[in-house]
Amino acid sequence: AVMHATRTAPARLRTPATAEGYRRTPRARVNRLTRASAAPFYTPATDYVAQKKMLEVGVRTPPLGLGLAALGRPGYINIGHDADIKGKSVDEMRAHAHETLDAAWAMGVRYFDCARSYGASEEFLSSWLQSRNIPNDKCVVGSKWGYTYTADWRVDTDGEAHEVKEHTAENLARQYPQSADLLDPYLRLYQIHSATAQSGVLRNKDVVAELSELKARRGVKIGLTLSGVEQADTLREAMTVTAPDGSKLFDCVQATWNVMEQSAGPALVEAKDAGMEVIVKEALANGRLSSRNPDDTVLPVMEALRALASDFGSAPGRFDSFVYKADSAAIAIAMMQGFQPMVLSGAATPHQVRSNAGALTLLKYLTNAGDAAEGRVREILEMARRDPESYWAERAALEWN
Protein backbone atom coordinates (compact mmCIF):
# COMPACT_ATOMS: atom_id res chain seq x y z
CA ALA A 1 0.00 0.00 0.00
CA VAL A 2 1.10 3.57 -0.56
CA MET A 3 0.68 7.02 0.89
CA HIS A 4 -1.42 9.12 -1.47
CA ALA A 5 -1.07 12.89 -1.35
CA THR A 6 -4.78 13.52 -0.95
CA ARG A 7 -7.16 14.49 1.82
CA THR A 8 -8.41 10.92 2.11
CA ALA A 9 -6.78 8.73 4.73
CA PRO A 10 -3.41 7.67 3.29
CA ALA A 11 -2.14 4.13 3.50
CA ARG A 12 1.20 3.06 4.90
CA LEU A 13 4.38 4.54 3.53
CA ARG A 14 6.54 2.40 1.32
CA THR A 15 9.68 0.72 2.61
CA PRO A 16 12.34 1.71 0.08
CA ALA A 17 15.05 -0.67 1.24
CA THR A 18 12.87 -3.68 0.44
CA ALA A 19 10.72 -2.37 -2.40
CA GLU A 20 11.12 -3.77 -5.91
CA GLY A 21 14.13 -2.28 -7.65
CA TYR A 22 15.93 -1.24 -4.49
CA ARG A 23 18.99 -2.67 -2.76
CA ARG A 24 21.59 -1.55 -0.28
CA THR A 25 24.99 -0.35 -1.42
CA PRO A 26 28.18 -1.88 0.01
CA ARG A 27 30.37 0.68 1.73
CA ALA A 28 33.41 -0.15 -0.38
CA ARG A 29 31.66 0.86 -3.61
CA VAL A 30 30.59 4.35 -2.55
CA ASN A 31 32.28 7.63 -3.43
CA ARG A 32 35.41 6.28 -5.10
CA LEU A 33 35.53 9.10 -7.63
CA THR A 34 36.15 12.68 -6.48
CA ARG A 35 36.52 11.50 -2.89
CA ALA A 36 38.81 14.49 -2.33
CA SER A 37 35.89 16.74 -3.23
CA ALA A 38 33.74 15.36 -0.42
CA ALA A 39 32.31 17.72 2.10
CA PRO A 40 33.94 19.18 5.17
CA PHE A 41 34.11 17.08 8.30
CA TYR A 42 30.40 16.41 8.82
CA THR A 43 28.53 14.67 6.00
CA PRO A 44 25.48 12.42 6.01
CA ALA A 45 26.15 8.71 6.32
CA THR A 46 25.07 7.82 2.78
CA ASP A 47 26.97 4.52 2.58
CA TYR A 48 23.92 2.38 3.31
CA VAL A 49 21.01 3.91 1.43
CA ALA A 50 18.37 2.50 -0.86
CA GLN A 51 19.39 2.24 -4.50
CA LYS A 52 16.94 2.34 -7.38
CA LYS A 53 17.11 1.24 -10.98
CA MET A 54 16.98 4.30 -13.20
CA LEU A 55 15.14 3.91 -16.51
CA GLU A 56 16.35 0.30 -16.87
CA VAL A 57 19.62 1.46 -18.45
CA GLY A 58 21.93 -0.58 -16.24
CA VAL A 59 22.67 2.14 -13.68
CA ARG A 60 21.68 2.02 -10.03
CA THR A 61 21.46 5.31 -8.21
CA PRO A 62 20.17 6.67 -4.90
CA PRO A 63 16.74 8.31 -5.18
CA LEU A 64 18.40 11.74 -5.19
CA GLY A 65 19.44 13.54 -8.36
CA LEU A 66 20.82 16.99 -9.09
CA GLY A 67 18.95 19.47 -11.27
CA LEU A 68 21.03 22.22 -12.88
CA ALA A 69 18.36 24.90 -13.28
CA ALA A 70 20.12 27.12 -10.72
CA LEU A 71 23.65 26.28 -11.83
CA GLY A 72 23.64 26.98 -15.55
CA ARG A 73 22.72 30.68 -15.67
CA PRO A 74 23.21 33.74 -13.48
CA GLY A 75 19.49 34.43 -12.97
CA TYR A 76 16.81 32.13 -11.54
CA ILE A 77 13.62 32.36 -9.47
CA ASN A 78 14.81 30.50 -6.37
CA ILE A 79 14.60 32.72 -3.31
CA GLY A 80 18.11 33.91 -2.45
CA HIS A 81 19.67 32.71 -5.71
CA ASP A 82 21.75 35.87 -6.01
CA ALA A 83 23.50 35.11 -2.71
CA ASP A 84 24.38 31.59 -3.89
CA ILE A 85 26.09 32.60 -7.12
CA LYS A 86 28.98 34.95 -6.36
CA GLY A 87 30.87 35.13 -9.64
CA LYS A 88 28.51 35.62 -12.57
CA SER A 89 30.85 35.25 -15.57
CA VAL A 90 30.63 32.09 -17.66
CA ASP A 91 34.03 30.89 -16.46
CA GLU A 92 33.22 31.59 -12.81
CA MET A 93 29.87 29.85 -13.04
CA ARG A 94 31.39 26.85 -14.82
CA ALA A 95 33.91 26.44 -11.99
CA HIS A 96 31.14 26.86 -9.41
CA ALA A 97 28.94 24.29 -11.17
CA HIS A 98 31.84 21.83 -11.29
CA GLU A 99 32.44 22.26 -7.56
CA THR A 100 28.77 21.61 -6.82
CA LEU A 101 28.73 18.59 -9.13
CA ASP A 102 31.81 17.25 -7.34
CA ALA A 103 29.97 17.51 -4.03
CA ALA A 104 26.91 15.77 -5.48
CA TRP A 105 29.00 12.91 -6.84
CA ALA A 106 30.74 12.51 -3.49
CA MET A 107 27.31 12.21 -1.85
CA GLY A 108 26.41 9.36 -4.21
CA VAL A 109 24.29 11.28 -6.73
CA ARG A 110 24.29 9.57 -10.13
CA TYR A 111 21.38 11.25 -11.95
CA PHE A 112 21.88 14.74 -13.42
CA ASP A 113 19.10 16.80 -15.02
CA CYS A 114 19.53 19.82 -17.28
CA ALA A 115 17.76 21.56 -20.19
CA ARG A 116 18.44 23.57 -23.32
CA SER A 117 16.93 26.62 -21.58
CA TYR A 118 19.04 26.38 -18.41
CA GLY A 119 21.70 28.67 -19.85
CA ALA A 120 24.96 26.74 -20.19
CA SER A 121 23.86 23.81 -18.01
CA GLU A 122 24.46 21.18 -20.69
CA GLU A 123 27.93 22.55 -21.47
CA PHE A 124 28.83 22.79 -17.77
CA LEU A 125 27.70 19.22 -17.14
CA SER A 126 29.45 17.94 -20.27
CA SER A 127 32.77 19.55 -19.37
CA TRP A 128 32.52 18.19 -15.82
CA LEU A 129 31.79 14.64 -17.00
CA GLN A 130 34.74 14.76 -19.38
CA SER A 131 37.20 16.43 -17.00
CA ARG A 132 36.42 13.95 -14.20
CA ASN A 133 36.55 10.94 -16.55
CA ILE A 134 33.15 9.74 -15.36
CA PRO A 135 32.38 6.38 -17.02
CA ASN A 136 29.21 6.60 -19.10
CA ASP A 137 27.84 3.46 -17.48
CA LYS A 138 28.06 4.93 -13.97
CA CYS A 139 25.56 7.79 -14.27
CA VAL A 140 22.37 8.85 -16.03
CA VAL A 141 21.81 12.25 -17.68
CA GLY A 142 18.47 13.71 -18.64
CA SER A 143 17.84 16.89 -20.57
CA LYS A 144 14.85 18.75 -22.02
CA TRP A 145 13.74 20.49 -25.17
CA GLY A 146 10.98 23.00 -25.84
CA TYR A 147 12.33 26.24 -24.38
CA THR A 148 15.12 28.46 -25.69
CA TYR A 149 17.31 30.49 -23.33
CA THR A 150 16.97 34.15 -24.34
CA ALA A 151 18.32 36.09 -21.34
CA ASP A 152 21.80 36.29 -22.89
CA TRP A 153 23.49 35.87 -19.49
CA ARG A 154 21.56 38.77 -17.98
CA VAL A 155 19.66 38.77 -14.70
CA ASP A 156 17.76 41.99 -15.37
CA THR A 157 16.26 41.59 -18.84
CA ASP A 158 14.15 44.79 -18.79
CA GLY A 159 10.98 42.75 -18.78
CA GLU A 160 11.96 40.42 -21.61
CA ALA A 161 11.44 36.70 -21.11
CA HIS A 162 14.40 34.67 -19.82
CA GLU A 163 13.26 31.70 -21.89
CA VAL A 164 10.81 31.24 -24.76
CA LYS A 165 8.60 28.19 -25.25
CA GLU A 166 8.22 26.47 -28.63
CA HIS A 167 6.79 22.95 -28.64
CA THR A 168 7.14 22.22 -32.35
CA ALA A 169 8.68 19.40 -34.32
CA GLU A 170 11.04 21.93 -35.88
CA ASN A 171 12.33 23.02 -32.49
CA LEU A 172 12.73 19.41 -31.38
CA ALA A 173 14.72 18.66 -34.55
CA ARG A 174 16.92 21.67 -33.79
CA GLN A 175 17.44 21.15 -30.05
CA TYR A 176 18.01 17.40 -29.76
CA PRO A 177 21.22 17.44 -31.85
CA GLN A 178 22.47 20.34 -29.73
CA SER A 179 21.86 18.36 -26.54
CA ALA A 180 23.29 15.14 -27.95
CA ASP A 181 26.40 16.88 -29.25
CA LEU A 182 27.23 17.96 -25.69
CA LEU A 183 25.92 15.05 -23.64
CA ASP A 184 26.30 11.83 -25.61
CA PRO A 185 27.01 9.07 -24.62
CA TYR A 186 25.63 10.00 -21.19
CA LEU A 187 22.25 11.28 -22.41
CA ARG A 188 19.66 8.58 -21.62
CA LEU A 189 16.49 10.65 -21.14
CA TYR A 190 15.04 13.43 -23.31
CA GLN A 191 12.00 15.25 -21.97
CA ILE A 192 9.40 17.68 -23.26
CA HIS A 193 9.95 20.76 -21.09
CA SER A 194 6.75 21.78 -19.27
CA ALA A 195 4.20 20.02 -21.43
CA THR A 196 0.72 21.51 -21.09
CA ALA A 197 -2.66 20.98 -22.67
CA GLN A 198 -2.52 24.56 -23.97
CA SER A 199 0.62 23.96 -26.03
CA GLY A 200 -0.98 20.98 -27.77
CA VAL A 201 2.36 19.17 -27.83
CA LEU A 202 0.88 15.83 -26.79
CA ARG A 203 -1.49 15.95 -29.77
CA ASN A 204 1.14 17.12 -32.25
CA LYS A 205 1.57 14.13 -34.57
CA ASP A 206 4.87 15.42 -35.96
CA VAL A 207 6.35 15.78 -32.47
CA VAL A 208 5.11 12.33 -31.45
CA ALA A 209 6.59 10.82 -34.60
CA GLU A 210 9.96 12.54 -34.07
CA LEU A 211 10.15 11.46 -30.42
CA SER A 212 9.22 7.91 -31.41
CA GLU A 213 12.02 7.93 -33.99
CA LEU A 214 14.53 9.15 -31.39
CA LYS A 215 13.45 6.38 -29.06
CA ALA A 216 13.74 3.68 -31.71
CA ARG A 217 16.87 4.94 -33.49
CA ARG A 218 18.93 6.40 -30.66
CA GLY A 219 17.66 4.27 -27.76
CA VAL A 220 16.94 7.36 -25.66
CA LYS A 221 14.09 7.20 -23.15
CA ILE A 222 11.32 9.77 -23.65
CA GLY A 223 9.82 11.83 -20.86
CA LEU A 224 7.87 14.96 -20.13
CA THR A 225 7.97 17.51 -17.36
CA LEU A 226 4.89 19.13 -15.86
CA SER A 227 4.07 22.46 -14.29
CA GLY A 228 0.97 24.28 -13.06
CA VAL A 229 -2.40 23.36 -11.64
CA GLU A 230 -3.14 20.89 -14.47
CA GLN A 231 -0.17 18.59 -13.85
CA ALA A 232 -2.39 15.58 -13.14
CA ASP A 233 -4.61 16.08 -16.20
CA THR A 234 -1.61 16.54 -18.49
CA LEU A 235 0.04 13.40 -17.12
CA ARG A 236 -3.07 11.30 -17.61
CA GLU A 237 -3.31 12.53 -21.21
CA ALA A 238 0.37 11.71 -21.75
CA MET A 239 -0.19 8.17 -20.54
CA THR A 240 -2.54 7.61 -23.51
CA VAL A 241 -0.05 8.81 -26.16
CA THR A 242 1.35 6.02 -28.30
CA ALA A 243 4.12 5.70 -30.86
CA PRO A 244 3.24 4.74 -34.45
CA ASP A 245 3.88 1.07 -33.57
CA GLY A 246 1.26 1.25 -30.81
CA SER A 247 3.67 1.20 -27.87
CA LYS A 248 3.51 3.73 -25.06
CA LEU A 249 5.61 6.77 -25.91
CA PHE A 250 6.54 8.10 -22.49
CA ASP A 251 8.93 6.28 -20.16
CA CYS A 252 9.25 8.99 -17.51
CA VAL A 253 7.43 11.93 -15.96
CA GLN A 254 8.96 14.78 -13.99
CA ALA A 255 6.52 16.73 -11.84
CA THR A 256 6.42 19.24 -9.03
CA TRP A 257 5.54 17.59 -5.73
CA ASN A 258 6.32 18.88 -2.27
CA VAL A 259 4.61 19.14 1.09
CA MET A 260 2.93 22.37 -0.05
CA GLU A 261 1.85 21.16 -3.53
CA GLN A 262 0.63 17.57 -3.35
CA SER A 263 -2.08 17.62 -6.02
CA ALA A 264 -0.20 15.52 -8.60
CA GLY A 265 0.27 12.64 -6.15
CA PRO A 266 -2.56 10.32 -7.22
CA ALA A 267 -1.71 10.71 -10.93
CA LEU A 268 1.95 10.00 -10.19
CA VAL A 269 0.94 6.77 -8.45
CA GLU A 270 -1.03 5.82 -11.56
CA ALA A 271 2.00 6.57 -13.73
CA LYS A 272 4.27 4.49 -11.51
CA ASP A 273 1.80 1.61 -11.59
CA ALA A 274 1.76 1.87 -15.39
CA GLY A 275 5.55 1.43 -15.50
CA MET A 276 6.71 5.02 -15.82
CA GLU A 277 9.74 6.38 -13.97
CA VAL A 278 8.81 9.30 -11.69
CA ILE A 279 11.08 12.27 -11.01
CA VAL A 280 10.10 14.96 -8.50
CA LYS A 281 11.31 18.53 -8.95
CA GLU A 282 11.00 21.57 -6.69
CA ALA A 283 10.82 19.52 -3.50
CA LEU A 284 11.78 22.70 -1.62
CA ALA A 285 9.33 24.86 -3.57
CA ASN A 286 11.99 27.14 -5.10
CA GLY A 287 13.18 28.16 -1.66
CA ARG A 288 9.74 28.73 -0.17
CA LEU A 289 10.46 25.74 2.07
CA SER A 290 13.53 27.40 3.53
CA SER A 291 14.49 29.98 6.12
CA ARG A 292 14.85 32.49 3.27
CA ASN A 293 11.10 32.64 2.74
CA PRO A 294 9.79 35.91 4.26
CA ASP A 295 6.24 34.50 4.44
CA ASP A 296 5.50 33.97 8.14
CA THR A 297 2.73 31.48 7.36
CA VAL A 298 5.40 28.94 6.39
CA LEU A 299 7.13 29.12 9.79
CA PRO A 300 5.01 26.36 11.44
CA VAL A 301 5.77 24.04 8.52
CA MET A 302 9.48 24.79 8.73
CA GLU A 303 9.48 24.15 12.47
CA ALA A 304 7.69 20.82 11.97
CA LEU A 305 10.22 19.79 9.30
CA ARG A 306 13.14 20.79 11.52
CA ALA A 307 11.68 18.83 14.43
CA LEU A 308 11.16 15.75 12.25
CA ALA A 309 14.75 15.92 11.02
CA SER A 310 16.13 16.44 14.52
CA ASP A 311 14.02 13.80 16.26
CA PHE A 312 14.60 11.00 13.77
CA GLY A 313 18.07 12.00 12.59
CA SER A 314 19.46 12.04 16.11
CA ALA A 315 17.54 9.33 17.89
CA PRO A 316 18.62 8.28 21.39
CA GLY A 317 21.20 5.52 21.35
CA ARG A 318 22.51 6.31 17.86
CA PHE A 319 25.44 8.60 17.07
CA ASP A 320 25.36 10.48 13.78
CA SER A 321 27.44 13.65 13.64
CA PHE A 322 25.54 15.07 10.68
CA VAL A 323 22.98 17.77 11.50
CA TYR A 324 19.77 16.93 9.65
CA LYS A 325 17.79 20.05 8.72
CA ALA A 326 14.39 20.96 7.33
CA ASP A 327 15.53 20.50 3.73
CA SER A 328 16.53 16.90 4.45
CA ALA A 329 13.10 16.25 5.94
CA ALA A 330 11.17 17.81 3.05
CA ILE A 331 13.12 15.80 0.47
CA ALA A 332 12.87 12.58 2.50
CA ILE A 333 9.08 12.99 2.72
CA ALA A 334 8.94 13.25 -1.08
CA MET A 335 11.05 10.10 -1.36
CA MET A 336 8.64 8.25 0.94
CA GLN A 337 5.66 8.64 -1.37
CA GLY A 338 4.09 5.62 -3.02
CA PHE A 339 5.16 6.69 -6.51
CA GLN A 340 8.79 5.98 -5.46
CA PRO A 341 10.38 9.02 -7.11
CA MET A 342 13.84 10.14 -7.97
CA VAL A 343 13.87 13.50 -6.16
CA LEU A 344 15.95 16.30 -7.62
CA SER A 345 18.06 18.50 -5.43
CA GLY A 346 17.96 22.02 -6.84
CA ALA A 347 21.12 22.92 -4.92
CA ALA A 348 23.12 25.92 -6.08
CA THR A 349 26.13 25.38 -3.78
CA PRO A 350 28.17 22.43 -2.49
CA HIS A 351 26.90 23.12 1.03
CA GLN A 352 23.29 22.91 -0.13
CA VAL A 353 23.77 19.62 -1.98
CA ARG A 354 25.44 18.06 1.07
CA SER A 355 22.59 19.21 3.28
CA ASN A 356 20.00 17.93 0.79
CA ALA A 357 21.81 14.56 0.65
CA GLY A 358 21.01 14.09 4.31
CA ALA A 359 17.58 13.03 3.04
CA LEU A 360 19.03 9.71 1.91
CA THR A 361 19.98 8.61 5.42
CA LEU A 362 17.01 10.34 7.02
CA LEU A 363 14.79 8.31 4.67
CA LYS A 364 16.24 5.14 6.16
CA TYR A 365 15.78 6.40 9.72
CA LEU A 366 12.16 7.41 9.06
CA THR A 367 11.38 4.10 7.38
CA ASN A 368 12.86 2.12 10.24
CA ALA A 369 10.86 4.17 12.77
CA GLY A 370 7.59 2.83 11.37
CA ASP A 371 4.31 4.16 12.76
CA ALA A 372 5.95 6.88 14.84
CA ALA A 373 7.43 8.52 11.74
CA GLU A 374 4.35 7.90 9.59
CA GLY A 375 2.16 9.81 12.01
CA ARG A 376 4.50 12.78 12.07
CA VAL A 377 4.76 12.83 8.27
CA ARG A 378 0.98 12.77 7.90
CA GLU A 379 0.68 15.72 10.26
CA ILE A 380 3.16 17.73 8.18
CA LEU A 381 1.40 16.85 4.92
CA GLU A 382 -1.90 18.01 6.35
CA MET A 383 -0.63 21.29 7.82
CA ALA A 384 1.57 22.22 4.83
CA ARG A 385 -0.84 21.49 1.97
CA ARG A 386 -1.71 24.56 -0.11
CA ASP A 387 -4.47 25.10 -2.60
CA PRO A 388 -2.86 24.43 -6.01
CA GLU A 389 -4.17 27.67 -7.52
CA SER A 390 -2.60 29.70 -4.72
CA TYR A 391 0.63 27.73 -4.82
CA TRP A 392 1.18 28.28 -8.54
CA ALA A 393 0.15 31.94 -8.35
CA GLU A 394 2.82 32.46 -5.69
CA ARG A 395 5.39 30.64 -7.81
CA ALA A 396 4.58 32.81 -10.81
CA ALA A 397 5.22 35.90 -8.68
CA LEU A 398 8.76 34.84 -7.72
CA GLU A 399 11.31 37.27 -9.10
CA TRP A 400 14.33 36.38 -11.19
CA ASN A 401 17.39 37.23 -9.13
Side-chain angles (χ1 to χ4, degrees):
V2 297
M3 170 175 277
H4 295 271
T6 65
R7 293 186 180 276
T8 57
R12 289 182 62 86
L13 304 174
R14 70 178 180 88
T15 305
T18 58
E20 177 65 26
Y22 285 77
R23 66 181 177 88
R24 296 195 184 278
T25 304
R27 179 180 297 270
R29 297 178 63 85
V30 175
N31 296 344
R32 286 182 177 176
L33 293 176
T34 63
R35 184 180 293 274
S37 300
F41 187 72
Y42 296 117
T43 58
T46 56
D47 289 0
Y48 294 102
V49 298
Q51 300 282 298
K52 75 192 304 293
K53 297 176 182 177
M54 184 66 181
L55 296 168
E56 301 297 332
V57 293
V59 179
R60 286 184 179 269
T61 172
L64 180 72
L66 179 66
L68 277 73
L71 288 169
R73 51 193 167 178
Y76 193 48
I77 64 172
N78 282 356
I79 297 173
H81 178 69
D82 183 64
D84 295 332
I85 308 298
K86 304 299 183 184
K88 304 272 194 305
S89 72
V90 173
D91 288 342
E92 288 172 319
M93 288 202 63
R94 181 186 297 107
H96 179 81
H98 284 193
E99 183 182 1
T100 306
L101 286 160
D102 283 342
W105 185 273
M107 293 295 96
V109 171
R110 297 295 182 267
Y111 175 69
F112 304 95
D113 190 271
C114 47
R116 289 302 305 156
S117 63
Y118 294 170
S121 66
E122 290 182 328
E123 188 274 317
F124 290 173
L125 179 58
S126 175
S127 58
W128 176 78
L129 290 165
Q130 298 297 329
S131 65
R132 272 46 171 186
N133 295 313
I134 305 295
N136 63 26
D137 62 348
K138 298 300 182 185
C139 68
V140 181
V141 170
S143 195
K144 313 179 194 74
W145 72 276
Y147 280 81
T148 299
Y149 179 64
T150 56
D152 195 25
W153 220 252
R154 296 171 295 164
V155 177
D156 183 358
T157 60
D158 294 324
E160 298 177 6
H162 284 248
E163 51 192 12
V164 175
K165 186 174 188 175
E166 183 188 345
H167 281 167
T168 65
E170 293 76 15
N171 197 33
L172 171 59
R174 179 169 53 250
Q175 291 193 321
Y176 176 77
Q178 294 170 338
S179 297
D181 184 58
L182 288 167
L183 296 172
D184 273 351
Y186 303 93
L187 183 62
R188 316 290 184 87
L189 172 66
Y190 211 52
Q191 304 158 97
I192 303 174
H193 199 168
S194 293
T196 62
Q198 289 81 358
S199 75
V201 66
L202 299 179
R203 298 180 295 278
N204 187 316
K205 294 182 180 179
D206 292 336
V207 168
V208 170
E210 182 67 19
L211 290 173
S212 302
E213 177 68 13
L214 285 177
K215 188 173 183 177
R217 177 169 47 89
R218 300 297 296 267
V220 66
K221 304 292 185 178
I222 300 300
L224 75 162
T225 76
L226 307 173
S227 188
V229 296
E230 297 181 349
Q231 289 189 108
D233 292 341
T234 304
L235 174 54
R236 290 184 174 113
E237 181 181 353
M239 291 170 64
T240 69
V241 177
T242 56
D245 65 1
S247 62
K248 296 290 186 182
L249 176 62
F250 292 106
D251 305 291
C252 181
V253 59
Q254 182 177 149
T256 293
W257 190 97
N258 56 59
V259 299
M260 297 171 71
E261 198 344 15
Q262 306 168 33
S263 63
L268 293 174
V269 171
E270 294 170 24
K272 186 67 177 180
D273 290 345
M276 293 179 71
E277 187 81 32
V278 176
I279 300 173
V280 160
K281 59 184 173 75
E282 300 181 4
L284 300 181
N286 300 108
R288 284 183 280 168
L289 286 170
S290 77
S291 58
R292 291 173 168 176
N293 190 348
D295 182 0
D296 289 344
T297 64
V298 181
L299 291 178
V301 177
M302 294 302 299
E303 181 54 38
L305 289 169
R306 279 191 288 266
L308 184 76
S310 176
D311 293 348
F312 291 91
S314 304
R318 182 183 67 238
F319 176 74
D320 187 339
S321 60
F322 185 77
V323 178
Y324 296 90
K325 300 179 180 179
D327 62 312
S328 299
I331 294 171
I333 289 173
M335 291 174 175
M336 295 172 75
Q337 300 308 300
F339 41 84
Q340 300 182 26
M342 163 71 68
V343 180
L344 295 182
S345 162
T349 69
H351 172 77
Q352 289 174 4
V353 79
R354 291 167 191 139
S355 185
N356 291 175
L360 295 171
T361 310
L362 188 60
L363 171 65
K364 179 184 70 174
Y365 294 161
L366 291 169
T367 300
N368 291 344
D371 291 344
E374 288 183 30
R376 293 277 293 276
V377 169
R378 287 193 178 95
E379 290 174 3
I380 291 173
L381 290 175
E382 184 61 34
M383 72 183 297
R385 184 186 293 111
R386 296 285 183 91
D387 171 71
E389 294 278 356
S390 298
Y391 177 91
W392 289 103
E394 292 174 6
R395 187 190 185 280
L398 293 175
E399 295 183 358
W400 290 80
N401 67 99

